[in-house]
């Protein structure tokens, strides 16, 4: 009987975790912010005209932020008449509610620029002029909000606040970017300050952070203007920093990746692709290599085995970087843009609006299929999201849902 | 053997004469007109082009043209929509990315450029009636392809050169000078990827070099003919 109960619980836990991983994307760039979506059974090639468009929601406001997906709903933010709204849709793209967040960015590259973060029944979202709000997912009712400029003396970077905030335990982290209030940890239920870090005292950049979990401590890894920061999540102590070289270096958009004691990132406005070793206790770093030729600015990167797949910026092409020495071992012409992975395949969405399905094959990447996104407005910058067999692509005011299973 | 050698030599001579054949200006323009599908173009009153303008960023672009000389280009810089237009009399533009969203009249030299750009049939068609002068000034190569070099002196005094590809008789390059910071700087438009749309040849990729350096690339996805167009879109708001 005891064994039966344990077996049943194990099966339930297994089923629950599988369903959760396959049918929900609750924050920026997948469960661990690595750009990889935990999906299976996806198409290995597409028809010439692309996968079937299931539906289109054409009025989500201007923006570049990606959606998050629960088992019932889709949440995405957009700008309408200078105001940032968070929209809740059902899984067929029908609107359920919308809530005002604050003033949205309307200068260069106008529109919303962040992806919401969901934890349980609360959702956290940032607008371009620094408003960070916590809302109830069910109703859109605001629980609390802060403004990174007026409440924390933050300085708005030249393309607006663009951080998709991260939550750990009861804490949500944000980066106002002032000299004394650089990175802030807030109680996620009340918005009250847990700690303030001076970081490197620089203006914030555009990075959506990640968290390294070690036995000794957890580390928030993010970027300010020209510096990657490692901050202890418990007390805000700056453990280490990693400077990006070059003049006028201020666009640090990509989320770093941690794997087996190593931090990888591609900083298009600075050191390019780089690999640094983290000490066991997380308090020190050592640069292993950097490669300035691999200069992806904001499209993210994917690491699989010993290779990084990402696009260039100055040269409009994609690269494969070997991770032992940091050498570019292949380049593929597919303009420049985002890189994601699901079910062993690479999903590329370039600035010309082409979506490519590529097979990563060690030092090579092979194009299998592609199609062009013809609906929507403005620039093709938003990172796709893959969840429950559906590929969600935001193109300005339009959210498009493509069926990528049989 | 003697007979066959003679025939072969004769054939080679004829072939070499054919390839080396020099055409007059009128013949080149007649061949260009035929290659372009001018007969079909005469049945067209509007052209609507959509695609991407790559100039640092890749941004959507829409160009609308209307007979005889109306032109408007709607494009994005920093993802903010801007316009350049010519309504047959006035050339105007907006530059919201500079912080000024108001429409402005183009300076004289840019107005001349826009007037040329707005010529629905292009400067070569009916050039005499338009008051231009066209001269065949020799041969040149455009990216390793031989081309006839034509000098066009326009009715406003402006000069530009057009290069007609010797094989296709389509325009492969346009060269003119633009005033930039008080100096004349060469602008080169390279016309590539010609495709037929309802019997008319259109270049779907136009790469521009400014001062010898790559400047931008217009890459078209679609060209539609005779769509209904409201004339108001060409007028300065």
């Amino acid at each position: 009987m005891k064994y039966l109960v344990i077996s049943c619980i194990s099966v339930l836990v297994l089923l629950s975790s599988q369903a959760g991983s396959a049918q929900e994307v609750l924050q920026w760039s997948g469960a661990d912010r690595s750009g990889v979506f935990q999906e299976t059974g996806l198409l290995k090639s597409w028809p010439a005209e692309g996968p079937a468009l299931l539906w289109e929601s054409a009025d989500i406001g201007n923006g570049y932020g990606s959606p998050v997906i629960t088992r019932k709903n889709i949440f995405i933010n957009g700008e309408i008449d200078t105001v940032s709204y968070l929209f809740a849709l059902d899984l067929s793209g029908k609107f359920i509610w919308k809530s005002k967040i604050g003033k949205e960015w309307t200068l260069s590259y106008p529109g919303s620029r962040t992806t919401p973060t969901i934890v349980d029944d609360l959702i956290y979202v940032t607008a371009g002029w620094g408003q960070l709000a916590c809302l109830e997912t069910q109703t859109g009712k605001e629980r609390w909000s802060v403004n990174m400029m007026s409440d924390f003396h933050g300085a708005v970077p030249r393309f607006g606040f663009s951080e998709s905030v991260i939550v750990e335990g009861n804490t949500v982290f944000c980066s106002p970017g002032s000299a004394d209030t650089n990175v802030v940890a807030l109680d996620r239920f009340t918005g009250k300050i847990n700690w303030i870090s001076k970081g490197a005292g620089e203006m914030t950049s555009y990075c959506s952070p990640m968290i390294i979990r070690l036995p000794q401590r957890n580390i928030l890894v993010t970027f300010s203007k020209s510096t990657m920061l490692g901050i202890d999540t418990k007390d805000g102590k700056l453990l280490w920093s990693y400077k990006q070289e070059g003049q006028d270096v201020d666009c640090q958009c990509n989320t770093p990746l941690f794997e087996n004691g190593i931090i990888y990132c591609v900083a298009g406005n600075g050191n390019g692709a780089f690999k640094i070793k983290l000490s066991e206790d997380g308090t020190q770093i050592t640069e292993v290599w950097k490669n300035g030729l691999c200069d992806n600015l904001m499209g993210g990167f994917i690491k699989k085995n010993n290779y990084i797949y990402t696009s260039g910026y100055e040269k409009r092409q994609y690269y494969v970087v070997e991770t032992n020495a940091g050498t570019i071992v292949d380049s593929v012409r597919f303009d420049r843009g985002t890189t994601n992975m699901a079910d062993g395949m690479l999903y590329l969405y370039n600035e010309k609006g082409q979506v490519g399905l590529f097979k990563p094959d060690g030092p090579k990447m092979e194009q299998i299929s592609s199609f062009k996104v013809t609906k929507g407005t403005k620039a093709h910058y938003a990172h796709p999201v893959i969840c429950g067999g559906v590929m969600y692509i935001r193109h300005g005011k339009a959210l498009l849902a493509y069926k990528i299973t049989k | 053997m003697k007979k066959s050698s003679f025939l072969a030599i004769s054939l080679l001579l004829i072939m070499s004469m054919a390839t080396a054949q020099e055409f007059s200006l009128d013949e080149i323009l007649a061949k260009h007109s035929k290659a372009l599908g001018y007969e079909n173009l005469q049945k067209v009153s509007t052209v609507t082009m959509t695609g991407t303008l790559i100039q640092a960023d890749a941004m959507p672009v829409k160009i609308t043209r209307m007979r005889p000389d109306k032109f408007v280009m709607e494009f994005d810089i920093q993802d903010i929509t801007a316009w350049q237009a010519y309504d047959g009399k006035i050339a105007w533009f907006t530059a919201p990315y500079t912080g000024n969203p108001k429409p402005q009249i183009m300076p004289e030299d840019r107005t001349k450029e826009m007037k040329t750009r707005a010529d629905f049939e292009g400067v070569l068609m009916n050039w005499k009636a338009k008051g231009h002068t066209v001269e065949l000034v020799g041969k040149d190569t455009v990216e390793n392809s031989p081309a006839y070099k034509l000098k066009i002196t326009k009715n406003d005094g402006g000069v530009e050169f057009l290069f007609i590809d010797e094989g296709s008789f389509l325009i492969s390059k346009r060269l003119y000078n633009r005033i930039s910071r008080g100096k004349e700087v060469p602008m080169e438009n390279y016309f590539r990827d010609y495709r037929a749309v309802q019997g008319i040849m259109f270049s779907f990729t136009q790469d521009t070099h400014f001062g010898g350096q790559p400047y931008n690339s217009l890459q078209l996805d679609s060209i539609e003919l005779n769509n209904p167009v409201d004339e108001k879109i060409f007028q300065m708001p």
Side-chain angles (χ1 to χ4, degrees), chain A residues 360-379:
Chain A
D361 188 10
K364 297 280 176 192
M365 50 194 293
E366 180 195 354
Q367 183 171 343
I368 305 297
S369 306
S370 73
F371 71 98
K372 182 152 187 175
V373 173
T374 54
K375 293 170 182 282
T377 58
K378 302 286 187 173

Side-chain angles (χ1 to χ4, degrees), chain A residues 64 107-110 313 316 336 351-352 372 378-379 381, chain B residues 52 54 56-60 76 78-81 219 221:
Chain A
Y64 315 102
L107 303 178
S108 52
Y109 305 95
Y313 188 77
R316 305 181 77 98
R336 71 180 186 211
E351 291 181 13
K352 289 184 184 173
K372 182 152 187 175
K378 302 286 187 173
Y381 287 161
Chain B
T52 305
I54 298 174
D57 294 320
M59 291 290 167
D76 289 353
Q78 296 179 4
D79 223 16
I80 304 171
T81 303
Q219 300 178 6
D221 294 321

Side-chain angles (χ1 to χ4, degrees), chain B residues 2-50:
Chain B
K2 207 173 173 184
K3 207 172 185 178
S4 62
S5 297
F6 176 76
L7 273 172
I9 290 164
S10 304
L11 197 62
L12 277 169
L13 270 171
I14 291 164
M15 281 172 69
S16 95
M17 279 169 72
T19 52
Q21 187 177 357
E22 297 299 334
F23 294 111
S24 68
L25 175 65
D26 286 346
E27 287 170 325
I28 292 165
L29 292 180
K31 285 179 179 293
H32 168 63
S33 174
K34 190 177 176 189
L36 184 70
Y38 179 61
E39 202 176 306
N40 296 317
L41 182 64
Q42 287 174 297
K43 298 169 197 160
V44 176
S45 56
T46 66
V47 177
T48 309
M49 304 166 157
T50 54

Side-chain angles (χ1 to χ4, degrees), chain A residues 289-402:
Chain A
W289 54 255
K290 61 185 174 193
N291 186 343
L293 294 175
C294 183
D295 59 349
N296 182 274
L297 199 65
M298 58 183 184
F301 65 94
I302 290 295
K303 179 178 179 292
K304 187 186 179 199
N305 300 327
N306 291 331
Y307 298 96
I308 284 172
Y309 304 88
T310 188
S311 96
Y313 188 77
E314 286 299 325
K315 290 190 176 174
R316 305 181 77 98
Q317 58 190 11
Y318 275 77
Y319 293 126
V320 183
V321 179
E322 187 276 324
T323 58
N324 285 324
T327 313
I328 292 173
V329 291
D330 193 24
S331 59
V332 174
R333 292 211 171 275
F334 195 67
D335 199 56
R336 71 180 186 211
T338 66
T339 311
N340 288 98
M341 180 179 260
D343 199 15
M345 300 293 277
L346 293 169
Y347 291 76
L348 279 45
Y349 178 35
N350 71 27
E351 291 181 13
K352 289 184 184 173
Q354 296 163 314
V355 186
L357 183 67
F358 281 67
K359 186 179 175 187
D361 188 10
K364 297 280 176 192
M365 50 194 293
E366 180 195 354
Q367 183 171 343
I368 305 297
S369 306
S370 73
F371 71 98
K372 182 152 187 175
V373 173
T374 54
K375 293 170 182 282
T377 58
K378 302 286 187 173
H380 298 271
Y381 287 161
H383 290 228
V385 169
I386 297 167
C387 184
V390 177
M391 175 168 62
Y392 297 91
I393 290 185
R394 193 236 184 96
H395 180 208
K397 290 179 180 174
L399 180 63
L400 309 163
Y402 296 91

